Amino acid sequence: NAGVTQTPKFRVLKTGQSMTLLCAQDMNHEYMYWYRQDPGMGLRLIHYSVGEGTTAKGEVPDGYNVSRLKKQNFLLGLESAAPSQTSVYFCASSSTPGGNYVDTEAFFGQGTRLTVV
Amino acid sequence: QQQVKQSPQSLIVQKGGIPIINCAYENTAFDYFPWYQQFPGKGPALLIAIRPDVSEKKEGRFTISFNKSAKQFSLHIMDSQPGDSATYFCAASPFSLSDMRFGAGTRLTVKP
């Protein structure tokens, strides 16, 4: 059981280039999330999805777009990369939206280290 | 601004010691307080979580203490081991995980 798988694991981009990060989960989770992790900042939510075909903005959405065409996949796109987007990106998924549900856990992938030069 | 403040940034203890990591929050709507453990090159993984209706929760060597009136919670690791060396993140969430806010993280080193 792979859980949450992110592709690629490492990438170096030049300023202005575009790329797509792929997240795939095999746990049949409805909810998926994209975070970025920066030193001294913890994890910050970029975008999330509450089901196939839906997306919503998180805390730091500017410069990113997402799509959820299939339930198991959540794509994060950078249309024109900037050095400020140098970060480690994590995808996560959960079976519930949180709150009072007993099973409230977000499962994370291994991360994608992106450097924009 | 950081909605969840975590301290210290780094912590070094000897094997068998009891490291304590503290977090404070402002938003009284938060009602779910997880701790995540992250090893180098890996994603965070849920370690233990607490809801505000209890003041303490233990799972093995890990204990969360929760003080609702002070809006603070902490992680204690009993009999710490070198294998516990990792970065620990506290977090707080209201009804929805999409509104979960993370602390900045604490890098724990347990020396043999």
Side-chain angles (χ1 to χ4, degrees):
Chain A
N1 198 345
V4 179
T5 303
Q6 292 182 230
T7 310
K9 290 185 170 46
F10 303 93
R11 185 73 186 267
V12 178
L13 281 181
K14 292 183 178 179
T15 297
Q17 286 185 321
S18 63
M19 77 163 295
T20 300
L21 282 66
L22 171 64
C23 176
Q25 54 95 4
D26 61 4
M27 296 175 281
N28 201 36
H29 286 171
E30 287 290 341
Y31 305 87
M32 297 187 73
Y33 316 84
W34 274 108
Y35 291 90
R36 59 178 289 171
Q37 183 178 48
D38 301 294
M41 301 286 290
L43 290 96
R44 292 179 293 167
L45 184 67
I46 303 171
H47 286 280
Y48 65 100
S49 169
V50 301
E52 181 179 317
T54 74
T55 63
K57 293 180 180 180
E59 189 181 358
V60 288
D62 294 342
Y64 306 95
N65 56 75
V66 288
S67 63
R68 184 113 180 256
L69 299 180
K70 294 183 179 180
K71 184 178 183 178
Q72 64 269 31
N73 295 337
F74 195 27
L75 278 64
L76 177 71
L78 286 74
E79 290 187 346
S80 179
S84 61
Q85 294 177 304
T86 293
S87 187
V88 181
Y89 292 86
F90 286 99
C91 176
S93 71
S94 65
S95 60
T96 71
N100 294 324
Y101 290 90
V102 174
D103 182 16
T104 303
E105 179 177 355
F107 294 85
F108 285 82
Q110 290 197 327
T112 296
R113 183 173 294 276
L114 174 67
T115 302
V116 183
V117 298
Chain B
Q1 72 278 19
Q2 198 113 34
Q3 294 193 32
V4 180
K5 295 183 179 179
Q6 182 172 347
S7 63
Q9 281 188 318
S10 64
L11 188 55
I12 301 173
V13 299
Q14 293 293 131
K15 178 183 174 182
I18 306 175
I20 300 172
I21 305 171
N22 299 300
C23 285
Y25 64 97
E26 291 293 329
N27 190 345
T28 55
F30 290 147
D31 66 357
Y32 173 66
F33 302 89
W35 284 89
Y36 282 83
Q37 181 187 54
Q38 184 180 26
F39 293 106
K42 303 293 185 182
L46 181 66
L47 183 64
I48 185 173
I50 196 168
R51 294 194 184 272
D53 52 343
V54 296
S55 60
E56 186 176 276
K57 183 175 181 180
K58 290 183 180 180
E59 286 187 4
R61 295 183 294 107
F62 300 92
T63 299
I64 299 179
S65 297
F66 185 83
N67 186 329
K68 187 174 181 178
S69 61
K71 291 186 283 187
Q72 295 175 349
F73 57 111
S74 59
L75 177 70
H76 302 231
I77 305 176
M78 307 301 290
D79 187 28
S80 59
Q81 302 296 313
D84 296 328
S85 297
T87 299
Y88 292 82
F89 292 94
C90 63
S93 174
F95 181 80
S96 172
L97 284 178
S98 61
D99 292 317
M100 186 157 61
R101 295 292 183 263
F102 287 81
T106 296
R107 179 173 291 185
L108 172 67
T109 302
V110 181
K111 294 195 169 184

